[in-house]
Amino acid sequence: MNLRLAHLELDRRALRANLALARAAAPAARVMACIKAQAYGHGLLFAASTLAEACDAFAVACTGEGVELRRAGFEQQRLCVLNGPVDREELEAAVTWELEPVIHQPWQLDALARMGPPERLRAWLKIDSGMGRIGIRPEEAADWHDRLRQCAVVREPVGVMTHMARADDRNDRFTAEQWQVFSSAVDGLGAPRSAANSASVLGWPAAHGEWIRPGIMLYGCSPFIEGAQPELGLQPVMTLKAPLIAINQVPAGSTLGYGSTWSAPEAMPVGVVGIGYGDGYPRAVPNGTPVLIAGQRAPLVGRVSMDKIAVDLRGIDVEVGAKATLWGRGLPVEEIAQRAGTIGYELLCSVYGRVPVMRSRSGA
Ligand SMILES: *Cc1c(COP(=O)(O)O)cnc(C)c1O
């Protein structure tokens, strides 16, 4: 018996199909699959084992995630550490475990310069073309690239990387400007370039470079501000489900939930589903947010509690014990995220470690 009523179904076939869509959108590029943050809540090892054969490298956020993958037996896979090492110990771990750190701080370059041969560390140089988080200035790119290449411990080629701030809006020219800044900064270095997150992979074909870095699209969620877009052909990997634990016939005018924010407009059936913000379902969603029950959309009523939500069951023929889908197959996570005032990324991440995986749909 699980400690939670809610559970996840994870679909390996969908994960692989989404990766194939990323490849199809950038056929000349190599693919670094982003599996940071427990693969956006799906589980690092679930995603790594599903995608190892299909991608050219994995990207994780921190050194510890890279070491975890190596320890779990991913020995040959190229592993890029997007945040780079935070201290000397992590830099040494990157050498030991053959991780590929993203370099962006002067101390990292100095420390690498003092390390001896053999040439075994693959490194990426991060250039800030407008995101403003990590990366050196574009005018420093050639000099840093040169100095990295001269480090005895560093292996050729040294890749160059940047990150787009507004690629999720296909009408915003800033992505084209960032690409211009980046590509001219690294022009002539002969370095493999990596610039494209999912939104750029799908929306900005001129800004791909030699390595793409899809993340969210792999999990079947649209990277664009418009929300769910079935025409993209992405398939949800995670489906979040929970059972209906009660069905109550309530009289007109009866109120429900903390703060009594909803009252019944007429005598009607109300269902209670065993999930809440303690599981990672967002408390911010308002009345009317859809929950899929028996193939129909039941509107949420009242506030989300820690381990319960209520739904309007009018017109839905169902019994206690039936499974409700909170997001996933049949109900895009983008839609729930919009209602919660956030993005699908955050919802997917929020269930990890709270909601157990009940079933993985495998497939060839
Ligand atoms: C997370 C991340 C990505 C992937 O972004 P998505 O929007 O999920 O595709 C790519 N590059 C960097 C540097 C990242 O941090």
Side-chain angles (χ1 to χ4, degrees), residues 34 36 40 82 126 133 163 197-199 213-216 345:
C34 285
K36 62 191 180 186
Y40 296 51
L82 294 172
K126 183 77 176 269
R133 302 183 310 188
H163 196 41
N197 57 6
S198 299
R213 303 192 305 272
I216 193 72
Y345 297 69

Side-chain angles (χ1 to χ4, degrees), residues 9-35:
E9 292 176 6
L10 300 177
D11 188 342
R12 289 189 194 275
R13 197 187 317 236
L15 185 51
R16 282 192 286 256
N18 296 333
L19 187 116
L21 282 184
R23 270 207 194 279
R30 293 212 258 175
V31 180
M32 190 183 280
C34 285
I35 57 171

